[in-house]
């Protein structure tokens, strides 16, 4: 839950000279102008929300700021003095810290070692920092951000939310003056997000400038002192706290107003025949079996806190981890996949939560990734039909409006949202019977979300059963025909569309309300 909006402050930081200025920043890549004359100011003691559709140039601009990329033109100034960053270390020395959406921690090291990774030596002496000093300084930083853990705790033992807070502490360890947070709550539960918001406010009170990148409009409207919007690698506009609204931000992002809700209209309860039936399925690590059914043409939502077992259940349905007990029927026939190939052969496909690790081959092109699942259908005598691959890729690029200079572009160079569209598109081309979507719109802008929601509705209208795992309450309520709520790897309840309220879902997912009033069929 996002806290109530804060009142505007009388001592607005915009009245003071900017701590950081970026002027006329340009950056070119082969075949594309990623940034064209972009300017940005960040003031001490303010939260600047940086927004824009996927591919708008936000991440590229922040990589220039963080010393990851060198600009082709433009200048950066700190406290009015021009600076040139010749790498990440140089940016850090000037007080710039980037907290990436994909956390950059070493899981095999403890918290203290991660905090000082790359900075293990004292600034004035060519000698390592004593382990005792690292622990002491780390403990002080952990206390500052409210994380009650010993600095010797292995990062692999932390939750995603705790790792996110360690990243904040790591940024503070180098005495950062400007901290960039890229989608910081995308993997956090509600309580963890609340803790992060409190830390952001404290950092602002301490005079640190925060660049907050998020697609979650509620967070932006609550936390931001200003909103700067990018579109197509350019400045699209800026809004003060008093001016900012959902409609104005969206209009700047997409260049037009989105008419009405971006959720497709929902009709009455789906009455299609049962397509997938799950009976007492015991997922590895779960204390008891799970039973439910999915109907043709239905979007069946799965809600729950991080660690509730939703992803593990989806992986079992897809054959990643075979079930320990129980059974499934697909179109009335036994269905027991022991590997993903078995599920794919029956028309059951999974769009995974972690697109980079499990959904894409990053060094390969858009065309190669889009055609990979169906490559055998176009192979002749062991040779791949590249022209067929290209036609398929062009079709999916057009259908999902994927922003790429070419279908031959490496997927690793695209924005996160466009990468997600490719993961979805490659399965759409396979004509699925059951499509499992695990966090389908995480890190995706409102315009792209509307497109994905529209495609989901179209697929459901064709009789496909969609199983959607989502931590976005608005998405769960807006898209689902029914919702299965999980808590501690157990099924806590099944809610019909008429029963869908944020309060009821929250009560089930936190274990405050017991299942029993609603049938699981």
């Amino acid at each position: 839950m996002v806290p109530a909006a804060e009142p505007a402050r009388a001592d607005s930081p915009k009245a003071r000279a900017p701590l950081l200025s970026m002027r006329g920043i340009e950056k070119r890549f082969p075949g594309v102008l990623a940034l064209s004359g972009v300017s940005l100011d960040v003031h001490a003691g303010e939260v600047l929300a940086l927004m824009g559709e996927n591919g708008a140039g936000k991440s590229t601009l922040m990589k220039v700021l963080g010393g990851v990329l060198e600009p082709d033109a433009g200048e950066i100034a700190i406290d009015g003095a021009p600076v040139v960053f010749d790498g990440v270390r140089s940016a850090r020395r000037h007080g710039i810290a980037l907290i990436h959406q994909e956390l950059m921690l070493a899981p095999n090291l403890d918290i203290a070692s991660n905090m000082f990774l790359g900075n293990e030596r004292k600034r004035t002496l060519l000698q390592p920092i004593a382990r005792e000093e690292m622990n002491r300084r780390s403990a002080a930083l952990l206390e500052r951000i409210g994380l009650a853990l010993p600095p010797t705790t292995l990062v692999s033992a932390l939750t995603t939310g705790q790792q996110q807070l360690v990243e904040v502490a790591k940024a503070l360890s180098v005495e950062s003056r400007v901290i960039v947070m890229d989608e910081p709550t995308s993997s956090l539960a509600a309580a963890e997000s609340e803790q992060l918001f409190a830390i952001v406010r404290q950092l602002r009170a301490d005079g640190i400038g925060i660049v907050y990148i998020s697609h979650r409009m509620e967070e932006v409207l609550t936390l931001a002192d200003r909103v700067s919007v990018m579109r197509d690698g350019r400045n699209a506009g800026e809004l003060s706290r008093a001016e900012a609204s959902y409609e104005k931000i969206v209009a700047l992002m997409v260049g037009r107003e989105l008419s009405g809700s971006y959720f497709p209209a929902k009709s009455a309860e789906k009455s299609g025949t049962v397509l997938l039936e799950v009976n007492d399925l015991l997922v590895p690590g779960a204390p008891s079996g799970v039973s439910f059914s999915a109907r043709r043409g239905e979007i069946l939502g799965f809600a729950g806190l991080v660690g509730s077992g939703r992803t593990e259940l989806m992986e079992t349905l897809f054959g990643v981890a075979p079930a320990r007990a129980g059974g499934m029927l697909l179109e009335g026939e036994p269905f027991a996949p022991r590997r993903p190939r078995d599920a794919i052969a029956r028309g059951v496909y999974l769009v995974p939560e972690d697109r980079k690790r499990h959904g894409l081959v990053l060094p390969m092109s858009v065309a190669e990734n889009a055609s990979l699942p169906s490559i055998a259908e176009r192979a002749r005598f062991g040779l791949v039909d590249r022209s067929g691959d290209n036609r398929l890729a062009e079709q999916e690029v057009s259908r999902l409006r994927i922003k790429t200079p070419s279908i031959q572009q490496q997927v690793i160079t695209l924005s996160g949202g466009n990468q997600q569209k490719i993961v979805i598109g490659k399965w759409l081309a396979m004509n699925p019977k059951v499509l499992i979507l695990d966090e389908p719109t995480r890190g995706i802008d409102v315009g792209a979300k509307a497109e994905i929601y529209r495609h989901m509705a179209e697929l459901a209208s064709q009789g496909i059963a969609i199983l959607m795992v989502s931590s976005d309450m608005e998405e769960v309520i807006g898209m689902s025909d029914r919702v299965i709520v999980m808590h501690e790897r157990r099924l806590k309840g099944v809610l019909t569309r008429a029963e869908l309220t944020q309060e009821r879902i929250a009560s089930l997912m936190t274990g405050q309300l017991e299942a029993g009033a609603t049938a699981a069929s």
Side-chain angles (χ1 to χ4, degrees):
M1 181 182 297
V2 178
E6 304 165 0
R9 295 180 296 157
D11 60 334
S12 172
K14 194 170 182 181
R16 304 188 295 270
L19 165 62
L20 166 75
S21 291
M22 304 180 76
R23 291 286 178 268
I25 303 296
E26 294 194 2
K27 184 63 185 178
R28 292 182 178 274
F29 297 106
V32 62
L33 178 60
L35 297 174
S36 178
V38 177
S39 296
L40 189 77
D41 287 336
V42 180
H43 298 265
E46 81 161 341
V47 177
L48 173 70
L50 181 60
M51 303 194 72
E53 291 190 278
N54 293 109
K58 306 184 301 295
S59 295
T60 302
L61 182 65
M62 291 302 99
K63 287 178 181 177
V64 169
L65 174 60
V68 179
L69 296 174
E70 183 179 348
D72 297 320
E75 70 171 26
I76 301 173
I78 294 183
D79 291 328
V83 294
V84 176
F85 301 149
D86 57 7
V88 174
R89 285 179 179 271
S90 176
R92 285 178 180 171
R93 285 196 300 270
H94 285 87
I96 309 297
L98 269 61
I99 301 176
H100 299 272
Q101 182 177 357
E102 280 80 22
L103 301 180
M104 309 291 283
L105 298 174
N108 59 318
L109 299 180
D110 62 23
I111 294 174
S113 298
N114 269 279
M115 282 197 193
F116 288 90
L117 194 61
N119 296 290
E120 297 91 347
R121 296 187 180 276
K122 295 184 178 180
R123 293 185 177 182
T124 56
L125 298 175
L126 295 177
Q127 64 183 42
I129 298 174
R131 179 69 208 205
E132 293 78 10
E133 183 180 355
M134 289 174 57
N135 288 346
R136 178 180 57 78
R137 290 165 61 179
S138 297
L141 290 166
L142 291 174
E143 183 179 2
R144 181 178 175 184
I145 63 169
L147 191 56
L149 289 172
T152 53
T153 306
L154 278 178
V155 164
S156 59
L158 306 182
T159 66
T160 302
Q162 290 171 331
Q163 291 183 32
Q164 184 75 63
L165 297 181
V166 169
E167 284 278 23
V168 176
K170 184 177 178 180
L172 295 174
S173 72
V174 293
E175 300 177 4
S176 302
R177 301 181 65 195
V178 176
I179 298 179
V180 178
M181 298 183 176
D182 191 354
E183 297 288 350
T185 63
S186 63
S187 300
L188 302 189
E192 294 169 326
S193 296
E194 293 279 0
Q195 187 176 359
L196 180 67
F197 299 152
I199 292 170
V200 169
R201 293 190 187 92
Q202 184 58 55
L203 294 176
R204 178 173 61 188
D206 292 342
I208 293 174
I210 306 290
V211 180
Y212 195 92
I213 302 174
S214 178
H215 292 304
R216 296 186 174 181
M217 201 70 70
E218 299 88 351
E219 295 178 6
V220 168
L221 294 175
T222 298
L223 293 173
D225 297 298
R226 287 187 299 128
V227 179
S228 182
V229 182
M230 295 181 64
R231 185 172 69 246
D232 297 330
R234 296 174 171 83
N235 291 111
E238 183 178 296
L239 299 167
S240 68
R241 172 189 284 275
E243 297 170 327
S245 67
Y246 175 90
E247 293 77 15
K248 289 182 179 179
I249 294 173
V250 169
L252 287 174
M253 286 174 61
V254 302
R256 65 189 187 281
E257 293 186 8
L258 288 180
S259 56
S261 170
Y262 56 1
F263 292 115
K266 282 288 181 182
S267 56
E269 300 294 329
K270 300 292 182 182
S271 57
T273 58
V274 171
L275 181 61
L276 175 68
E277 187 173 349
V278 176
N279 299 306
D280 233 4
L281 193 73
L282 188 58
V283 175
S288 58
V290 173
S291 298
F292 66 89
S293 63
R295 302 168 183 145
R296 297 182 188 274
E298 177 180 42
I299 298 178
L300 182 61
F302 285 77
L305 300 175
V306 175
S308 62
R310 297 168 301 166
T311 292
E312 292 79 3
L313 174 59
M314 297 304 118
E315 289 178 345
T316 297
L317 299 181
F318 191 55
V320 175
R324 292 165 50 201
M328 294 184 283
L329 296 175
L330 180 63
E331 296 183 304
E333 298 293 329
F335 176 58
R338 301 196 62 80
R339 53 185 179 176
R341 183 181 299 177
D342 300 336
I344 292 170
R346 295 286 298 275
V348 177
Y349 308 137
L350 168 67
V351 174
E353 178 181 17
D354 190 333
R355 57 180 171 260
K356 290 190 174 182
R357 291 181 58 197
H358 303 133
L360 296 166
V361 183
L362 294 175
M364 292 174 66
S365 70
V366 172
E368 290 169 322
N369 272 277
S371 61
L372 199 56
S374 57
I375 195 170
E377 298 177 5
R378 292 181 304 283
R380 295 292 183 271
F381 308 109
L383 299 177
V384 177
D385 178 12
R386 292 299 180 193
S387 62
D389 288 356
N390 292 342
R391 286 193 299 271
L392 179 64
E394 293 283 8
Q395 172 186 321
E396 296 309 318
V397 166
S398 175
R399 172 157 61 165
L400 292 176
R401 301 182 189 178
I402 298 170
K403 294 182 180 179
T404 175
S406 161
I407 60 171
Q408 305 307 327
Q409 186 82 4
Q410 280 187 317
V411 165
I412 195 172
T413 66
L414 302 184
S415 69
N418 285 301
Q419 290 177 357
Q420 180 75 343
K421 289 182 183 181
I422 292 170
V423 180
I424 294 174
K426 72 179 183 181
W427 293 125
L428 296 187
M430 294 280 287
N431 299 315
K433 295 175 182 176
V434 177
L435 182 61
I436 303 170
L437 303 175
D438 196 348
E439 303 289 0
T441 65
R442 173 173 291 169
I444 291 180
D445 60 76
V446 291
K449 278 186 179 183
E451 294 171 16
I452 289 176
Y453 294 153
R454 177 171 56 83
H455 287 298
M456 289 172 63
E458 289 176 358
L459 292 170
S461 71
Q462 297 166 15
I464 295 169
I466 296 177
L467 278 53
M468 180 188 72
V469 174
S470 178
S471 300
D472 185 330
M473 191 76 76
E474 182 184 18
E475 181 171 87
V476 168
I477 294 174
M479 288 302 298
S480 304
D481 296 298
R482 290 184 300 143
V483 172
I484 290 177
V485 186
M486 299 187 67
H487 173 68
E488 294 183 349
R489 299 176 182 266
R490 292 181 173 88
L491 190 154
K492 299 297 291 184
V494 184
L495 303 176
T496 66
R497 180 149 191 86
E499 298 169 323
L500 289 183
T501 66
Q502 185 167 331
E503 292 75 19
R504 190 170 180 83
I505 294 174
S507 295
L508 286 167
M509 67 196 293
T510 56
Q512 298 175 28
L513 184 65
E514 290 298 323
T518 319
S521 62

